[in-house]
Amino acid sequence: MRRLVAVWLTALLLAGCGFHLRRAREFTLPASLAVLRVSMPTSGLKYPGLVLVVRRALEDRGVRIINHGRAPAVVLGGEMMTPVVVTLNSNGGASAYLLDYAVTFSLMGPGGKLLMAPRTVRVQREYSFNPENALAMAREQSYLERRMRVSAARQIVWALAAYKGPLAPAPAVAAPPHKRHAP
């Protein structure tokens, strides 16, 4: 009973001080990006895994994905997964790795005009390695790579949500007429 009262009082105090659990960021993409194409010209595959994950992340935000036409295109320049040894065991073998995943992307307009300069999104995860259980370690690395790809896709969508569109040329402002002073 005392524990229940203590938990209840703690919750009441936290709620009273303005503490709230963090919610997922809510954002919308600009109306100019309601219809997009997603491509990865450097890949020899028609639909590489990264393209599918980015398409799914955009569709989750209400973007209609098309494969042709004059819609702006998210162009994925490539992805690179680099494992870096961070800890060695007593035998000199790797016991922990840092996976560094980098994706480059840009936003191109219908006529091939660059709307958003190439950017690199980077995701890193650390995992332990046990050479006695190499199959499980390979599965864990594969799982982490998939999750990192999803995180990178989410970051790409966030970056696209910040897109303000090409700046319109400033309207010509007529110079005010000069007033003539009577002598």
Side-chain angles (χ1 to χ4, degrees):
M1 181 68 172
R2 281 186 172 178
R3 279 190 181 177
L4 181 61
V5 171
V7 169
W8 184 79
L9 283 174
T10 303
L12 186 62
L13 287 172
L14 287 175
C17 74
F19 174 82
H20 298 285
L21 291 175
R22 188 171 62 172
R23 287 183 276 180
R25 281 195 207 176
E26 294 183 24
F27 60 89
T28 57
L29 281 110
S32 61
L33 301 180
V35 178
L36 287 172
R37 292 179 291 135
V38 179
S39 69
M40 189 171 180
T42 58
S43 172
L45 303 172
K46 184 171 181 177
Y47 294 111
L50 179 61
V51 169
L52 296 175
V53 172
V54 171
R55 287 173 63 133
R56 191 172 309 124
L58 288 165
E59 287 171 340
D60 287 347
R61 287 288 168 196
V63 174
R64 196 174 107 223
I65 304 296
I66 62 172
N67 291 325
H68 53 63
R70 297 194 39 85
V74 177
V75 180
L76 303 169
E79 61 182 336
M80 186 180 340
M81 182 75 67
T82 309
V84 178
V85 176
V86 291
T87 307
L88 298 174
N89 60 24
S90 60
N91 298 332
S95 62
Y97 286 95
L98 177 73
L99 287 178
D100 182 38
Y101 179 67
V103 177
T104 303
F105 74 98
S106 61
L107 181 64
M108 302 296 283
K113 180 181 177 187
L114 185 65
L115 300 177
M116 183 184 284
R119 297 181 184 195
T120 300
V121 169
R122 183 168 246 107
V123 180
Q124 295 180 333
R125 298 286 187 271
E126 191 173 323
Y127 75 100
S128 298
F129 181 76
N130 181 353
E132 295 173 8
N133 199 355
L135 182 59
M137 296 294 103
R139 285 184 183 154
E140 180 181 0
Q141 181 177 348
S142 177
Y143 172 78
L144 282 174
E145 288 174 3
R146 287 192 309 272
R147 297 305 310 155
M148 292 169 75
R149 192 172 280 133
V150 168
S151 293
R154 206 173 299 132
Q155 288 183 37
I156 290 170
V157 174
W158 285 339
L160 292 171
Y163 175 71
K164 301 294 184 218
L167 297 175
V173 177
H178 293 307
K179 292 184 181 179
R180 294 191 175 207
H181 297 285

